[in-house]
Amino acid sequence: WGIPVEFDPKHVVYVWLDALSNYITGVGYNPEGSSEQFEKLWPADLHVIGKDIVRFHTIYWPIILMALGLPLPKQVLGHPWVLVGEDKMSKSKGNVIYADELSKRFGVDAVRYYLLSEIPFTQDGTITYESFILKFNADLANTLGNLVNRSIAMTNKYFGGKVTFGEATEECDKELLACAKESIENYYKYMDIYHNADAVNAVMTLAKRCNKYIDETTPWSLAKDQANQPRLNTVLYNLLECIRLLSIMLSPVMPDSYDSIKAQLCCNNSELAFGAVKDYTVGEAKPLFARLDAEKVLAEIAAEQEAQKERN
């Protein structure tokens, strides 16, 4: 069934003509006079589609719009697929991993983080329970979660939760600040061109540098000598300020974690510039992500899948 193509009787136009027009009729297009909403919202700044329907959205849809005398979408982004291992997800194969099930088990933020950080801009991404758990532990529990937890805990332990801006005098301080500046620049650069994974990588580069900074400065050693209090204050301030920057950049990816970090820092400042906050009075340190026991979690998933097969 379909609308006959006048110049080629072997073909009909099916679905795409009426389906594509929904993009404009849905926001108020009317050939006899469109709404104010349509004038405000069209043309779209970005059209996000699956890579398998790029042809329809970059050839047929522009032709329809041009025939109507309407402006084209400013950009079209054809995103890749999410594969399970090296295979497409298929109910018949039984290899489908559902986002809602992942979210119930690992949390929405963790799922969002994996999908936005693991899928390259121009290539298909892959997901397995094993790879998900590995990335969860490496990035969220060990790198980000550990950084936030111990930085706030040390601030409470050594200064009653209060630290202030201090001059960055040592080479490792300067390297940390340079990394923060570069991470922010790269974050903007990649987010502006929709390279989500590269943008997240820029943020995590700073998180890893912060953990290295802790190893370099050894705050627990500084705390043993009262004469080192000014230096210890500077180290902890630098860490908290970098954590603030990290949380802001990760807020589109992990909004719940951003809220948690913001609450622990007791700071609402959202300026992406190091030194925008001059002092901190932090709250209680609360773990963001608990490390997963991969063997235990995988065994639980296997048992649930087996039970599901028996029910079916």
Side-chain angles (χ1 to χ4, degrees):
W1 181 90
I3 303 169
V5 177
E6 292 183 3
F7 56 82
D8 191 342
K10 295 179 181 179
H11 292 279
V12 294
V13 177
Y14 169 62
V15 168
W16 286 106
L17 190 64
D18 53 318
L20 289 165
S21 65
N22 279 287
Y23 289 125
I24 53 176
T25 57
V27 293
Y29 171 75
N30 187 322
E32 297 179 359
S34 298
S35 68
E36 289 185 12
Q37 178 181 247
F38 176 75
E39 300 299 333
K40 176 183 178 181
L41 298 179
W42 195 262
D45 291 317
L46 178 70
H47 226 147
V48 182
I49 57 171
K51 70 174 187 178
D52 51 333
I53 52 174
V54 166
R55 175 162 55 100
F56 303 98
H57 288 78
T58 58
I59 299 176
Y60 305 158
W61 181 222
I63 289 171
I64 293 170
L65 289 170
M66 292 168 73
L68 293 171
L70 295 175
L72 309 185
K74 297 175 184 177
Q75 293 185 82
V76 177
L77 171 60
H79 64 73
W81 291 328
V82 181
L83 306 176
V84 175
E86 297 181 356
D87 299 323
K88 287 186 180 180
M89 292 192 194
S90 167
K91 288 185 178 179
S92 61
K93 290 183 179 180
N95 67 344
V96 178
I97 296 179
Y98 292 99
D100 56 347
E101 294 176 2
L102 278 174
S103 299
K104 289 176 184 176
R105 185 179 297 277
F106 303 110
V108 174
D109 272 16
V111 177
R112 291 169 61 110
Y113 178 81
Y114 184 93
L115 294 175
L116 288 167
S117 66
E118 191 65 14
I119 300 177
F121 181 70
T122 57
Q123 302 171 23
D124 293 335
T126 182
I127 183 171
T128 63
Y129 285 112
E130 291 83 357
S131 64
F132 188 98
I133 293 169
L134 183 66
K135 192 168 187 68
F136 182 103
N137 283 338
D139 289 9
L140 300 183
N142 292 356
T143 300
L144 179 64
N146 191 37
L147 168 65
V148 174
N149 189 261
R150 59 178 177 166
S151 297
I152 293 177
M154 286 190 292
T155 303
N156 281 316
K157 181 178 180 180
Y158 300 137
F159 289 101
K162 297 180 181 181
V163 292
T164 59
F165 176 84
E167 292 297 327
T169 56
E170 298 194 10
E171 190 60 32
C172 60
D173 302 337
K174 297 173 184 176
E175 290 177 4
L176 178 67
L177 271 59
C179 181
K181 184 175 182 293
E182 183 179 16
S183 292
I184 293 169
E185 291 172 351
N186 286 334
Y187 175 79
Y188 275 118
K189 178 178 73 174
Y190 290 125
M191 287 293 271
D192 283 346
I193 56 174
Y194 312 107
H195 287 226
N196 300 324
D198 292 321
V200 173
N201 182 62
V203 181
M204 294 308 293
T205 295
L206 177 57
K208 292 172 183 175
R209 187 63 187 85
C210 286
N211 281 315
K212 181 182 178 183
Y213 180 73
I214 292 176
D215 294 338
E216 291 170 335
T217 56
T218 60
W220 50 89
S221 298
L222 293 172
K224 294 177 181 179
D225 189 342
Q226 188 67 26
N228 292 327
Q229 287 288 291
R231 175 61 185 155
L232 180 57
N233 170 86
T234 297
V235 167
L236 293 176
Y237 167 84
N238 289 345
L239 288 169
L240 296 182
E241 183 66 344
C242 283
I243 289 170
R244 183 184 69 84
L245 300 176
L246 285 166
S247 70
I248 295 167
M249 290 188 281
L250 287 173
S251 61
V253 181
M254 301 191 294
D256 292 341
S257 299
Y258 165 68
D259 288 339
S260 178
I261 294 172
K262 184 170 66 172
Q264 293 182 56
L265 290 176
C266 300
C267 178
N268 290 316
N269 187 302
S270 59
E271 185 179 348
L272 267 180
F274 187 93
V277 175
K278 298 302 181 184
D279 56 78
Y280 283 95
T281 302
V282 300
E284 180 185 354
K286 297 179 180 179
L288 289 175
F289 299 96
R291 185 174 174 80
L292 300 172
D293 183 330
E295 187 175 340
K296 179 182 177 182
V297 173
L298 291 173
E300 290 173 353
I301 293 171
E304 291 173 8
Q305 291 175 336
E306 190 61 33
Q308 183 65 39
K309 286 181 183 178
E310 293 178 2
R311 286 194 294 270
N312 294 338

